């Protein structure tokens, strides 16, 4: 038999799916033939798609969720090795341009069953409530069509589902229920942020994080190995792969790994009829009553645009012309420095401490929006990448600098970037291996964005200094893309409504980071999952009321 | 499994530390041994690039990540870059002005060599180390004269391909981990002592440098 | 485990005095901890003695029971602090003290358990007093260490900083050991007072406080573990009730049978050992299980901690025996 490495042949076949908790083991899986018109076919099984697959299946719908990536068993497939683990990332070609081209690949998105959560850093934060009404309450960008109190409810649902480890009480924002698990012990890297924050007179906290501080079922607690962003080989990390998807399978969802969707097919009645996908060496077509696109903020608009047809020549769900527009990364600037102590930041999840001071303080700012920053712990090749790209070091200088690895500390922001239509995902003429046009990702910072990260860099540099770090340097970076199929309550200015349902095609839905009207100053995955939970519940409610097949009208 | 494990050169800063000594301990699991084991087999021989380009690449690697002269088993950096090119078509993105990964390397190495000829009248590989450094510095500054560059941006080639791909290959090697005192593979066994100035018995002990052992 | 372990533990068999340890003559005027207590506490002196004096044989039996309890506590401390201080790299030489002290306390306890004579030994007394003193110093050190961490007495720091439970257990081992010597030592017909109180009530009070404190420590650490396993509720439900019953004994102090308290004490004693079993399973549930013991022994649930409950419960059972025997007179 050929080696079962997850990458050469699909694993979720013959009525079973890989058991993520046991080496070489399987769990039963319901399967649907291509010809069966399932209730929902979902493209992408990441933070948005995987979560929604679980919710819809648990509500009793028939669900097939496809992912272009492999179905891993972390215990046997994940090496403690940066180079080897590149296999988790979306490495198909993408072209980046604009004034500030975004680094993609490992920096940004994944290609696995479980999506980018398989290699995410597990930071699990709630939005500041006012951000859902950014225009009305804070005077910038746009409002969300969802009320924060409703989100607060769904955040709780996600935090419970992921058994988030967090502080006993969180210092910012309105009351939230206690995190299901207690915080982790503080690493040296995290302690640096904490003690220097105290010297600056600002608040700090243990980071709410999706890795276990005590066992859960077959998943052991975190062993502080620090390889989180290249995949957690222990299952301590609570990713979509080992939380929502096992539940989805239990509820009779089917998951198809190594299944690349190229196009959504439209029927004569203005409804989507299913998806074309490539799996196991051939092109196939899955019929479905509803199609959900959840492929990440680049692949989602790519698929919608590539599904253009005579009826929708500009791409699906694109009557507003906004599909692909308003692409928002988050600014991810960092300040690094050297200290006397041995920090050894390769240990433990990198971002064990955080300050959201500049998310919740509105005075002393010359910009709109906010940012959080966290402690850092890059692995060797990532660190070499920082030294070469930010400082242009090479030769003897680089080697000497790398030797200080165990004495480095750093702080890095997750900063809000405001929506601009000119920042966008479009299709090029170049084709990938499937014959699908390669996407072009265009990004330039706006003036507000620049003021925000400059403020952050100034403030963090000051903090690094009072904390005793020297030889500081700044890294410019971006992370976490969103916004290319924004939600809203006006079909002219948004792609989907609050329920993630497209205005143009009532049985076409988008459920991932693409729907964010604004991205706030916190990592997005908790919010993506909360939206998916809400969408699942809303769909069930609409189905009960017989509204699933009817056309949507603006609220 | 045999109790033997491979060895890598130790470093001056962490003289007693060889990350490969943990090969048979709970710090290493099978997928890691497989991946790193393969890497250790890589020799400085081309599989993807032509012999001519590979020689240039090798000379460039020696300048980008110079290795100590007394190192017994030098890291086959050029071999690793070549292997990466053999196995990978893309790192997931490229700047609009840059050609795809493989093409960028092929054209870039040719142009770099031509730049050496234009500037110093000799092949890059025949230049003394100082001159080679000068050529690389010129690339880094985007100050190039050879027409071989065509529409390939020299600066972009240097930053995104030369610097990135070579250093990433070097620091993926256990010998480089020894050099910087990285704990290396850590699964199933991770770490117990994660606070400052503390280390587990299976971590590198630092012997040199500005180490302050406070409480 | 030796075959007669349980019998020895529950004191159902009397043994010939041990000759393994040749210690010197008894000393009746050894350290009186009560004299160190603040004046206000010494008002306890006025608490009435409600039990009749005990005969010498009973005293020895009771004392041996308490030696057993003190020994189990010291054993728990020895292994727990060995692991914890190894983890701390013994970066402060004082981190060896509890190891030495708990070892001496174990030796003293073994000597006491094996000693069938109604005479105290100065060495035992000194070892126990030293254990109590070391424990107190440890408590202060640990509290200081937690307080000086970034964030002070925050949840994270009390979860993961130096624990108060371990040095407190050493204090308890010492106090119970000293008490054991005093019980053994009393002249026939005498009704000695301990720590300023009638002896049985004093020991009951120490046991009660110890159980409550140990349960509080378990509560803290099991809260840290988010009570992920329902069994984690056991040590925070049963021992507190037992502690309350022992507090009632201390207040009441009358010589009578207390079957419910006895049952609870036995249950608590059992729970201590069961806890170790649960923690062994807990270590197995960590990544790599027992194969990765070099990490998991340190990061997993503390295997030696739960028997502290057993040690205290054994002391509690001795008190009950005292009160029952004095009833018979
Ligand atoms: C290194 C790193 C660290 C991060 N850390 C954090 C963090 O700490 N906290 C946080 O909140 N967020 C973090 N993120 C971001 C977070 O992981 C993503 O924002 C989130 O997972 C995005 O969710 P999504 O549903 O939009 O897409 P994804 O989770 O990326 O899922 C998309 C899935 O769709 C599949 N797909 C796409 N197109 C197709 C197609 N045509 N056919 C079939 N399948 C397709 C992909 O293979 C992929 O698996 C991190 C990201 C990275 C890269
Ligand atoms: S540090 Fe914890 S979460 Fe991160 S990879 Fe290791 S076990 Fe997983």
């Amino acid at each position: 038999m050929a080696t079962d490495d997850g990458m050469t042949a699909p694993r979720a076949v013959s009525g079973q799916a890989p058991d993520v908790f046991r080496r070489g083991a399987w769990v039963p899986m319901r399967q649907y033939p291509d010809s069966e018109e399932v209730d929902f076919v979902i493209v992408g099984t990441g933070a948005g798609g995987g979560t929604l697959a679980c919710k819809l299946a648990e509500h009793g719908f028939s669900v097939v969720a496809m992912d272009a990536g492999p179905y891993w068993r972390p215990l046997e497939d994940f090496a403690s090795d940066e180079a080897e683990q590149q296999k988790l990332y979306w490495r198909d070609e993408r072209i980046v341009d604009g004034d500030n081209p975004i680094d993609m690949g490992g920096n940004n998105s994944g290609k696995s069953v479980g999506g980018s959560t398989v290699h995410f850093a597990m930071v699990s934060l709630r939005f500041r409530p006012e951000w859902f009404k950014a225009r009305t309450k804070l005077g910038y960008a746009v409002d969300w069509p969802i009320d924060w109190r409703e989100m607060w409810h769904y955040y709780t649902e996600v935090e419970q589902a992921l058994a988030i480890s967090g502080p006993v009480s969180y210092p910012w924002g309105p009351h939230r229920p206690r995190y299901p698990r207690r915080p982790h012990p503080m690493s040296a890297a995290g302690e640096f942020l904490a003690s220097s924050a105290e010297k600056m007179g600002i608040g700090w906290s243990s980071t709410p994080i999706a890795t276990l501080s005590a066992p859960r079922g077959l998943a052991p607690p975190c062993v502080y190995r620090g390889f989180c962003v290249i995949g957690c080989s222990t299952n301590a990390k609570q990713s979509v792969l080992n939380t929502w998807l096992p539940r989805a399978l239990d509820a009779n969802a089917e998951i198809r790994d190594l299944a690349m969707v190229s196009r959504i097919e439209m029927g004569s009645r203005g409804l989507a009829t299913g998806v074309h996908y490539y799996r196991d060496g051939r092109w196939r077509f899955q019929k479905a009553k509803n199609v959900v696109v959840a492929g990440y903020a680049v692949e989602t608009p790519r698929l919608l645009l590539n599904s253009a047809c005579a009826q929708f020549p500009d791409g699906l769900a694109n009557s507003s012309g906004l599909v692909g527009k308003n692409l928002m990364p988050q600014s991810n600037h960092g300040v690094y420095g050297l200290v006397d102590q041995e920090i050894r930041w390769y240990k433990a999840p990198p971002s064990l401490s955080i300050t959201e001071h500049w998310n919740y303080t509105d005075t002393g700012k010359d910009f709109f929006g906010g940012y959080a920053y966290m402690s850092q712990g890059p692995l060797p090749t990532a660190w070499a990448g920082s030294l070469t790209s930010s400082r242009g070091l090479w030769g003897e200088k680089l080697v000497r600098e790398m030797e200080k690895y165990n004495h480095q500390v750093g702080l890095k922001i997750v900063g809000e970037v405001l929506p601009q239509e000119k920042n966008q995902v479009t299709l090029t003429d170049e084709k990938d291996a499937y014959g699908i046009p390669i996407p072009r990702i265009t990004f330039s910072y706006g003036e507000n964005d620049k003021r925000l990260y400059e403020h952050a860099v100034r403030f963090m540099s000051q903090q690094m200094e009072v904390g005793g770090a020297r030889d500081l340097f700044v890294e410019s970076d971006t992370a976490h893309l969103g916004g290319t199929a924004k939600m809203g309550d006006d079909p002219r200015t948004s792609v989907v409504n609050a329920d993630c349902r497209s205005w143009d095609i009532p049985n076409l839905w988008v459920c991932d980071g693409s729907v964010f009207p604004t991205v706030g100053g916190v990592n997005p995955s908790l919010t993506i999952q909360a939206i998916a939970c809400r969408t699942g519940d809303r769909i069930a409610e609409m189905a009960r009321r017989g509204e699933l097949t009817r056309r949507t009208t603006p609220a | 499994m045999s109790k033997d494990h491979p060895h890598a050169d130790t470093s001056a800063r962490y003289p007693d530390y060889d990350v490969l000594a943990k090969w048979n301990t709970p710090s290493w699991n099978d997928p890691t041994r497989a991946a790193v084991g393969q890497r250790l087999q890589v020799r400085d021989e081309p599989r993807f690039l032509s012999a001519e380009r590979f020689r240039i690449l090798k000379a460039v690697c020696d300048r980008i990540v110079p290795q100590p002269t007394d190192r017994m088993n030098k890291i086959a950096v050029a071999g690793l870059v070549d292997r990466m090119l053999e196995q990978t078509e893309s790192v997931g993105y490229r700047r609009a002005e840059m050609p795809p990964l493989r093409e960028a390397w092929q054209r870039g190495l040719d142009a770099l060599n031509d730049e050496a000829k234009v500037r110093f009248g000799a092949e890059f590989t025949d230049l003394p180390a100082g001159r080679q450094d000068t050529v690389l510095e010129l690339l880094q500054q985007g100050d190039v004269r050879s027409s071989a560059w065509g529409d390939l941006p020299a600066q972009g080639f240097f930053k995104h391909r030369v610097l990135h791909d070579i250093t990433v290959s070097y620091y993926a090697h256990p010998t480089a981990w020894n050099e910087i005192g990285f704990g290396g593979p850590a699964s199933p066994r991770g770490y117990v002592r994660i606070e400052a100035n503390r280390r587990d018995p299976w971590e590198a002990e630092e012997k040199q440098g500005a180490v302050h052992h406070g409480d | 485990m030796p075959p007669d372990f349980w019998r020895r533990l529950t004191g159902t068999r009397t043994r010939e005095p041990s000759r393994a340890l040749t210690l010197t003559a008894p000393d009746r005027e050894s350290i009186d901890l009560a004299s160190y207590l603040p004046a206000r506490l010494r008002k306890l002196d006025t608490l009435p003695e409600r039990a009749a004096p005990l005969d010498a044989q009973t005293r020895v039996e009771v004392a041996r029971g308490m030696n057993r309890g003190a020994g189990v506590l010291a054993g728990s401390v020895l292994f727990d602090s060995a692991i914890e201080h190894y983890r701390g790299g013994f970066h402060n030489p004082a981190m060896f003290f509890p190891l030495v002290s708990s070892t001496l306390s174990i030796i003293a306890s073994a000597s006491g358990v094996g000693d069938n004579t109604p005479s105290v030994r100065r060495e035992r007394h000194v070892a126990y007093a030293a254990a109590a003193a070391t424990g107190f110093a440890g408590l202060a050190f640990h509290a200081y260490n937690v307080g000086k961490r970034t964030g002070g007495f925050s949840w994270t720091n009390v979860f993961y900083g130096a624990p108060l439970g371990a040095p407190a257990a050493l204090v308890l081992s010492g106090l119970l050991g000293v008490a054991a010597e005093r019980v053994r030592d009393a002249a026939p017909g005498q009704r000695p007072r301990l720590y300023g109180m009638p002896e049985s009530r004093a020991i009951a009070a120490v046991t009660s406080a110890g159980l409550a404190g140990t349960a509080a420590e378990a509560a803290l650490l099991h809260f840290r573990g988010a009570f992920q396993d329902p069994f984690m509720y056991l040590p925070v439900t049963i021992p507190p009730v037992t502690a309350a019953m022992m507090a009632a004994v201390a207040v009441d102090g009358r010589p009578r049978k207390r079957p419910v308290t006895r049952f609870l004490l036995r249950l608590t004693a059992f729970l201590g050992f069961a806890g170790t079993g649960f923690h062994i399973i807990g270590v197995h549930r960590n990544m790599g299980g027992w194969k990765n013991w070099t990490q998991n022994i340190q990061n997993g649930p503390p295997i030696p901690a739960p028997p502290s409950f057993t040690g205290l419960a054994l002391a509690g059972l001795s008190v009950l025996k005292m009160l029952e025997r004095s009833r018979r007179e």
Side-chain angles (χ1 to χ4, degrees):
Chain A
M1 202 184 105
T3 47
D4 173 32
D5 63 356
M7 293 179 285
T8 33
R11 277 176 166 169
V13 289
S14 316
Q16 57 182 17
D19 181 344
V20 292
F21 295 110
R22 292 187 177 89
R23 291 184 174 81
W26 303 92
V27 290
M29 180 179 76
R30 168 90 187 260
Q31 282 187 292
Y32 301 87
D34 280 341
S35 55
E36 182 175 335
E37 192 179 43
V38 292
D39 292 329
F40 286 87
V41 63
I42 301 178
V43 184
T45 58
T51 309
L52 184 64
C54 171
K55 290 288 292 192
L56 290 177
E58 288 182 349
H59 279 303
F61 296 103
S62 55
V63 174
V64 171
M66 308 209 188
D67 206 291
Y71 207 140
W72 307 111
R73 285 190 197 95
L75 291 177
E76 66 183 17
D77 295 329
F78 290 178
S80 305
D81 186 71
E82 287 177 274
E84 168 70 13
Q85 292 299 111
Q86 299 295 312
K87 65 189 181 191
L88 302 188
Y89 301 132
W90 190 280
R91 310 247 295 169
D92 300 8
E93 192 80 303
R94 287 159 168 169
I95 291 174
V96 296
D97 66 2
D99 298 343
N100 308 94
I102 297 171
D103 289 353
M104 298 299 301
N107 200 42
N108 255 308
S109 71
K111 188 189 205 175
S112 295
V113 170
S116 305
T117 68
V118 174
H119 57 70
F120 84 146
M122 313 172 296
V123 175
S124 300
L125 304 172
R126 297 182 177 206
F127 263 40
R128 176 181 168 182
E130 288 88 337
W131 292 341
F132 293 103
K133 291 278 172 283
R135 164 68 39 203
T136 330
K137 292 252 159 84
L138 301 166
Y140 71 90
V142 289
D143 288 350
W144 285 55
I146 304 180
D147 186 83
W148 75 270
R149 277 160 297 225
E150 214 188 335
M151 287 301 289
W152 234 237
H153 166 77
Y154 285 107
Y155 279 135
T156 305
E157 178 175 350
V158 180
E159 284 165 358
Q160 296 295 328
L162 304 186
I164 301 292
S165 299
V168 175
S169 56
Y170 195 66
W172 298 282
H175 173 78
R176 58 186 70 180
R178 176 164 300 155
Y179 287 106
R181 299 293 165 106
R182 305 293 81 79
H184 289 272
M186 196 50 79
S187 62
E191 155 67 27
F192 178 82
L193 180 147
S195 56
S196 54
E198 295 211 334
K199 288 183 188 139
M200 292 293 282
I202 61 165
W204 64 275
S205 171
S206 292
T207 309
I209 195 162
T211 178
L212 298 172
S213 60
R216 182 188 201 198
L218 291 172
C222 177
V223 294
Y224 308 113
R225 52 191 284 275
F227 284 86
C228 323
V229 295
I230 57 160
C232 177
S233 59
T234 69
N235 274 322
K237 174 192 285 190
Q238 301 293 285
S239 65
V240 170
L241 176 65
N242 66 6
T243 57
W244 298 108
L245 293 183
R247 273 172 59 180
L249 290 173
D250 273 347
N252 289 323
E254 178 184 346
I255 292 157
R256 286 191 201 149
D257 52 339
L258 302 182
M260 176 70 185
V261 176
S262 65
R263 231 159 44 77
I264 299 160
E265 185 66 38
M266 291 300 300
S268 50
R269 294 185 299 129
L271 293 176
T273 57
V275 298
H276 296 276
Y277 68 104
Y278 187 85
R279 194 183 192 211
D280 218 3
R282 65 193 179 92
W283 285 102
R284 298 159 44 159
F285 179 74
Q286 173 69 50
K287 281 177 129 183
K289 296 194 181 96
N290 291 274
V291 174
V292 182
V293 186
Y296 191 69
V298 177
E299 294 308 308
T300 288
R302 181 188 182 203
L303 181 57
L304 293 174
L305 295 173
N306 191 48
S307 300
C309 55
Q311 198 183 348
F312 298 99
D314 300 325
L316 305 187
N318 202 14
S319 65
S320 62
L322 289 177
V323 169
K325 303 260 170 71
N326 291 312
L327 170 75
M328 289 167 281
Q330 288 178 312
S331 45
N332 195 206
H333 289 62
V335 181
Y336 293 106
L338 192 68
V339 294
D340 288 335
Q341 297 108 295
E342 280 184 34
I343 300 294
R344 297 178 186 263
W345 59 358
Y346 52 83
K347 295 189 275 190
S351 300
L352 280 180
S353 64
I354 183 172
T355 176
E356 279 208 67
H357 178 80
W358 290 108
N359 272 337
Y360 285 87
T361 306
D362 292 320
T363 51
K365 281 179 176 172
D366 57 349
F367 57 89
F368 289 118
Y371 62 88
Y373 55 93
M374 283 148 261
S375 53
Q376 296 301 309
L379 292 168
T381 70
W383 179 235
S386 291
L387 289 179
T388 55
S389 69
S390 302
R391 298 173 65 186
L393 295 183
W394 52 276
E396 208 53 49
K397 269 192 202 140
L398 172 69
V399 173
R400 292 286 87 81
E401 218 38 46
M402 282 298 292
E403 280 182 348
K404 301 172 186 165
Y405 181 68
N406 283 342
H407 294 270
Q408 299 286 349
V409 288
L411 306 172
K412 227 174 167 192
I413 64 166
V414 168
E416 181 157 13
V417 162
L418 301 192
Q420 299 183 71
E421 284 191 19
K422 64 172 188 170
N423 290 331
Q424 57 178 323
V425 175
T426 48
L427 300 182
T428 64
D429 299 333
E430 214 177 303
K431 301 272 167 64
D432 71 3
Y434 303 98
I436 311 169
I438 285 174
R440 174 190 298 271
I441 302 165
T442 307
F443 179 71
S444 311
Y445 281 119
E447 284 313 310
N448 188 75
D449 307 332
K450 290 181 189 161
R451 282 199 298 275
L452 182 146
Y453 70 65
E454 278 159 12
H455 181 280
V457 162
R458 269 196 312 276
F459 193 81
M460 290 191 298
S461 302
Q462 222 181 322
Q463 177 168 342
M464 294 282 288
E465 254 162 41
V466 301
R470 49 179 200 279
D471 300 347
L472 305 188
F473 77 92
V474 176
E475 177 179 45
S476 342
D477 200 356
T478 51
H480 313 145
L481 272 46
T484 49
K486 95 187 244 232
M487 62 161 66
D489 26 45
D490 183 346
R492 287 164 306 174
T493 56
S494 57
V495 178
V496 296
N497 68 13
D499 302 331
C500 292
R501 188 177 202 174
S502 78
W503 293 110
D504 304 344
I505 301 165
N507 71 338
L508 176 64
W509 314 70
V510 176
C511 186
D512 62 10
S514 313
V515 302
F516 281 32
T518 55
V519 291
V522 296
N523 318 46
S525 67
L526 197 77
T527 304
I528 299 174
Q529 291 170 81
I531 290 171
C533 285
R534 180 182 180 280
T535 303
D537 287 355
R538 288 284 302 141
I539 287 175
E541 211 178 300
M542 288 185 270
R544 263 195 301 279
R545 295 205 300 251
E547 289 172 8
L548 263 199
T549 43
R550 245 183 281 146
R551 199 159 255 287
T552 47
T553 41
Chain B
M1 182 189 307
S2 119
K3 277 283 148 200
D4 291 343
H5 61 80
H7 295 275
D9 285 71
T10 55
S11 74
R13 199 165 174 132
Y14 300 95
D16 302 327
Y17 180 65
D18 180 4
V19 65
L20 292 178
K22 295 192 264 184
W23 188 268
N24 287 316
T25 70
S27 289
W28 289 60
N29 59 11
D30 289 338
T32 309
R33 280 186 283 258
V36 178
Q38 265 182 14
R39 195 166 311 144
L40 293 171
Q41 301 301 317
V42 172
R43 298 278 160 270
D44 258 339
E45 291 150 8
R47 280 213 207 155
F48 173 76
L49 292 169
S50 67
E52 163 67 9
R53 287 184 182 129
F54 190 82
R55 275 197 314 123
I56 305 168
L57 171 64
K58 204 163 148 11
V60 173
C61 289
D62 285 341
R63 301 319 306 150
I64 300 294
V65 278
Q67 305 194 43
T69 42
D70 60 349
R71 184 170 282 175
M72 304 277 282
N73 291 300
K74 297 230 164 48
I75 303 176
V77 191
L80 290 168
V81 174
D82 180 80
R83 213 61 94 237
M84 183 274 285
L85 289 173
E86 183 195 36
Q87 287 159 7
T88 330
E89 274 180 71
S90 167
V91 294
Y93 65 105
R94 68 170 203 264
R95 305 243 165 167
E97 69 277 13
M98 294 285 292
L101 179 70
R102 291 172 175 168
E103 186 189 330
W105 267 110
Q106 289 163 329
R107 286 174 54 192
L109 286 170
D110 292 348
L112 180 145
N113 196 36
D114 199 62
E115 189 69 34
K117 288 191 211 152
V118 170
R119 297 276 181 170
F120 299 111
E123 306 264 334
F124 184 79
T125 45
D126 293 337
L127 293 178
R131 285 273 158 91
Q132 290 181 332
D133 283 354
T134 310
V135 173
L136 294 172
E137 276 158 22
L138 290 170
L139 256 63
Q140 188 166 28
Q141 289 148 19
D143 176 9
V144 289
R145 292 187 192 157
S146 160
S147 58
W149 291 103
D151 63 355
L152 177 70
Q155 224 172 353
F157 169 67
F158 186 79
K159 181 172 180 180
H160 303 302
R161 296 282 64 89
V162 173
L163 274 194
H164 179 267
D165 296 348
I166 292 177
T167 54
V168 160
S169 299
Y170 181 83
Y171 286 103
H173 195 281
T175 304
W177 299 341
N178 288 347
E179 196 170 68
I180 64 173
F182 171 51
S187 186
R189 182 173 65 188
Y191 301 102
V192 175
R193 298 164 187 82
I194 58 175
E195 54 282 33
N197 294 327
R198 297 277 181 277
R199 64 178 176 86
D200 289 333
W202 53 91
E203 291 182 77
E205 185 180 358
E206 187 171 38
K207 282 280 159 61
Q208 255 188 16
V211 200
H212 164 76
H213 282 289
D215 281 78
Chain C
M1 227 175 260
D4 61 343
F5 182 79
W6 272 107
R7 262 178 297 141
R8 279 210 259 160
L9 194 74
T10 46
T12 45
R13 197 183 83 167
T14 44
R15 274 176 93 252
E16 284 307 303
S18 162
R19 296 281 163 245
L21 297 160
T22 33
L23 297 172
T24 49
D27 178 4
R28 277 154 207 265
E29 299 108 275
S30 54
I31 313 136
D32 182 2
L33 280 179
S35 57
Y36 297 103
L37 291 175
R40 214 147 52 88
L41 273 180
R42 260 184 270 152
K43 268 201 301 214
L44 292 172
D45 254 340
T46 55
L47 273 181
E49 173 64 86
R50 288 173 176 161
L54 291 168
D55 64 277
Q57 187 47 41
T58 306
R59 285 196 164 280
V60 170
E61 255 177 62
V62 169
R64 289 176 59 219
M66 292 175 58
N67 286 134
R68 220 172 262 124
V72 173
L73 273 165
S76 167
V77 172
L78 172 61
F79 289 107
D80 203 36
S81 59
I83 293 171
E84 285 298 323
H85 288 181
Y86 167 71
R87 176 190 177 129
F90 290 100
H91 70 272
N92 181 340
M95 292 165 87
F96 284 106
F97 290 175
L99 272 74
V100 174
S101 182
S102 56
T103 305
L104 291 178
S105 185
I106 292 170
I107 294 171
S109 303
S111 143
V113 171
D115 183 354
N116 244 336
T117 61
S119 51
V120 296
R121 290 186 190 267
R122 168 178 224 142
E123 289 81 353
R124 285 206 295 259
H125 215 141
V126 170
Y128 281 135
T134 311
F136 274 120
L139 272 176
F141 257 124
H142 283 196
Y144 167 74
N145 275 325
V146 171
K148 78 172 185 191
R149 288 162 74 119
T150 307
F153 288 91
S154 66
W155 279 106
T156 306
N157 289 344
V158 297
F159 285 154
Y160 299 105
L164 297 186
L170 191 54
V171 170
L172 290 167
S173 172
L175 292 185
L176 290 175
V178 168
E181 293 308 291
R182 302 292 299 276
V183 167
R184 191 188 286 262
D185 183 34
Q190 210 189 347
R191 287 187 294 195
R193 300 174 80 81
L194 255 174
Y195 312 138
M197 282 180 272
E199 58 179 359
S200 54
R201 304 176 69 177
I203 302 165
V206 170
T207 316
S208 169
L211 284 170
T214 309
E217 168 98 348
L220 177 76
L221 294 181
H222 286 192
F223 176 52
R224 179 179 99 181
F227 291 95
Q228 48 88 18
D229 186 321
F231 284 114
M232 292 168 82
Y233 286 104
L234 286 179
V236 300
T237 45
I238 295 167
V241 179
T242 316
M245 297 301 277
M246 287 312 287
V249 172
V251 171
D252 171 54
R254 264 183 297 240
R256 60 184 174 86
K257 271 211 154 132
R258 291 178 172 80
V260 177
T261 311
R262 172 180 300 279
F263 170 76
L264 279 168
L265 283 166
R266 287 202 168 137
L267 191 60
T268 304
F270 172 75
L271 201 64
F273 278 101
T276 287
F278 282 125
H279 286 191
I280 287 172
I281 296 169
V283 165
H284 175 68
R285 286 182 73 192
N286 277 29
M287 186 60 196
W290 276 93
K291 274 195 208 146
N292 184 16
W293 64 273
T294 44
Q295 168 161 29
N296 291 341
I297 283 258
Q298 302 178 64
N299 267 6
I303 291 171
S308 289
F309 283 120
T310 311
L312 288 162
L314 290 176
L317 286 167
S318 300
V319 179
L320 292 199
K321 183 181 281 178
M322 262 170 122
L323 290 172
E324 266 170 36
R325 293 284 172 86
S326 61
R327 194 176 66 119
R328 258 180 260 143
E329 272 175 292

